[in-house]
Amino acid sequence: MPRDAELRQSNTHVAREIAKLIVSGVWHEGWTLPREIELASQFGVSRTSIRESLSVLKAKGLIAARQKAGTHVRERINWNMLDAELLEWTWALRPTEEFARQLTQVRRIVEPEACAICAERGSDADLARIERAYREMDAAGMDSRAYSEPDLRFHRGILMATGNDFLVAFGATVEAALRMSFDLSTLNPGAPRKSLPYHRAILDEIWARNPDGARRAMHRLMDLTERNITSALSRRHSEAMAAADASREHDA
């Protein structure tokens, strides 16, 4: 691996590890971070790498520097929760029903209206790209891994077809929410495949240039998604409780 690529990978790793300390609450809001030299020693990297990693976290709104007071963790309301990496890190540390609910809530606000705009204004070429993604989803069969990428393209294609730069920017949030759903779908066998008719209904309403129908079809998909997520998280909780009980019995 080229030296520059190694440095970027190292910086990303350090930024992620520091972010984990912040997101998990180990370094809470208002916490003053150790000095650069201490962080470099803690993570086994150069001070340059630490500076670049901190710059990444500043851009995401996690930290800020105060003159003569060092670098501190910002209040959560200042975090850029629409950032794809921050969403990924947060989900990895807090796979909770509340976090899943919040992500799905954002999708409900954005995607049905995006579908309506897409049906009204999207070009035939835009709609053809969405249909190609759907056909790849169909071809994936029961393989959830093969299904996931065209599913992402399907939803991002709808956002892009609106021609609205602000809606397109929500693509990272939608992608993070979808990847969360994929992570959980392995706990609900066949869940991705069961969503295929709902995607077909969305596609048909968009091709029919029916904004209201497209909006309703996306809401129906969101209903299914919420049920799948609730079921998967409940199953995960039950499995964790069973494992804890088994561990206690083993130790007794």
Side-chain angles (χ1 to χ4, degrees), residues 130-143:
I130 297 167
E131 177 149 5
R132 282 197 296 274
Y134 169 81
R135 294 190 181 283
E136 290 182 35
M137 292 162 63
D138 191 14
M142 296 299 290
D143 186 341

Side-chain angles (χ1 to χ4, degrees), residues 84 107 111 129-130 132-134 136-137 144-160 168 170-183 192 195 199 218 221:
R107 290 187 65 190
E111 290 194 80
R129 280 193 293 272
I130 297 167
R132 282 197 296 274
Y134 169 81
E136 290 182 35
M137 292 162 63
S144 60
R145 187 178 297 275
Y147 186 98
S148 65
E149 290 305 320
D151 193 358
L152 286 170
R153 290 199 300 276
F154 181 94
H155 289 271
R156 294 201 78 150
I158 290 172
L159 294 172
M160 292 176 67
V168 172
F170 273 98
T173 306
V174 171
E175 182 171 339
L178 284 170
R179 291 197 185 282
M180 174 197 70
S181 298
F182 299 149
D183 288 344
S195 75
H199 287 83
M218 179 57 81
L221 176 59

Side-chain angles (χ1 to χ4, degrees), residues 88-152:
E88 178 188 337
W89 298 339
T90 304
W91 171 247
L93 289 166
R94 300 174 59 230
T96 64
E97 188 167 351
E98 173 61 16
F99 185 69
R101 184 192 67 79
Q102 290 181 12
L103 273 180
T104 306
Q105 191 174 60
V106 171
R107 290 187 65 190
R108 271 200 184 275
I109 293 169
V110 173
E111 290 194 80
E113 292 308 313
C115 275
I117 296 171
C118 175
E120 196 169 21
R121 304 180 190 172
S123 68
D124 286 351
D126 289 329
L127 273 56
R129 280 193 293 272
I130 297 167
E131 177 149 5
R132 282 197 296 274
Y134 169 81
R135 294 190 181 283
E136 290 182 35
M137 292 162 63
D138 191 14
M142 296 299 290
D143 186 341
S144 60
R145 187 178 297 275
Y147 186 98
S148 65
E149 290 305 320
D151 193 358
L152 286 170

Side-chain angles (χ1 to χ4, degrees), residues 4-233:
D4 289 348
E6 288 182 1
L7 287 172
R8 284 194 298 272
Q9 188 176 56
S10 174
N11 295 344
T12 299
H13 171 74
V14 173
R16 181 171 59 245
E17 292 306 305
I18 294 175
K20 285 180 179 179
L21 292 170
I22 295 171
V23 171
S24 64
V26 174
W27 291 357
H28 52 77
E29 295 177 10
W31 177 273
T32 299
L33 274 63
R35 295 177 302 163
E36 284 182 5
I37 191 169
E38 294 168 340
L39 289 171
S41 176
Q42 179 177 343
F43 293 102
V45 296
S46 68
R47 292 180 66 177
T48 299
S49 182
I50 290 296
R51 279 194 290 272
E52 292 180 0
S53 298
L54 294 180
S55 293
V56 169
L57 300 182
K58 287 175 184 175
K60 298 179 189 302
L62 291 175
I63 60 176
R66 284 189 294 230
Q67 192 171 11
K68 298 182 180 180
T71 300
H72 67 282
V73 177
R74 301 183 73 191
E75 294 181 358
R76 191 176 185 84
I77 59 171
N78 294 308
W79 299 1
N80 180 12
M81 291 306 299
L82 298 181
D83 179 86
E85 281 187 323
L86 183 53
L87 281 167
E88 178 188 337
W89 298 339
T90 304
W91 171 247
L93 289 166
R94 300 174 59 230
T96 64
E97 188 167 351
E98 173 61 16
F99 185 69
R101 184 192 67 79
Q102 290 181 12
L103 273 180
T104 306
Q105 191 174 60
V106 171
R107 290 187 65 190
R108 271 200 184 275
I109 293 169
V110 173
E111 290 194 80
E113 292 308 313
C115 275
I117 296 171
C118 175
E120 196 169 21
R121 304 180 190 172
S123 68
D124 286 351
D126 289 329
L127 273 56
R129 280 193 293 272
I130 297 167
E131 177 149 5
R132 282 197 296 274
Y134 169 81
R135 294 190 181 283
E136 290 182 35
M137 292 162 63
D138 191 14
M142 296 299 290
D143 186 341
S144 60
R145 187 178 297 275
Y147 186 98
S148 65
E149 290 305 320
D151 193 358
L152 286 170
R153 290 199 300 276
F154 181 94
H155 289 271
R156 294 201 78 150
I158 290 172
L159 294 172
M160 292 176 67
T162 66
N164 184 311
D165 291 341
F166 295 98
L167 286 173
V168 172
F170 273 98
T173 306
V174 171
E175 182 171 339
L178 284 170
R179 291 197 185 282
M180 174 197 70
S181 298
F182 299 149
D183 288 344
L184 294 171
S185 68
T186 56
L187 301 176
N188 292 328
R193 186 70 186 180
K194 291 175 184 176
S195 75
L196 193 65
Y198 294 80
H199 287 83
R200 179 74 249 183
I202 292 168
L203 181 61
D204 288 344
E205 295 291 356
I206 288 174
W207 270 120
R209 301 295 183 174
N210 181 356
D212 289 338
R215 184 186 293 112
R216 288 193 297 269
M218 179 57 81
H219 273 299
R220 287 193 290 272
L221 176 59
M222 292 293 97
D223 291 340
L224 176 68
T225 299
E226 285 187 356
R227 291 195 297 271
N228 285 338
I229 289 173
T230 299
S231 173
L233 285 171

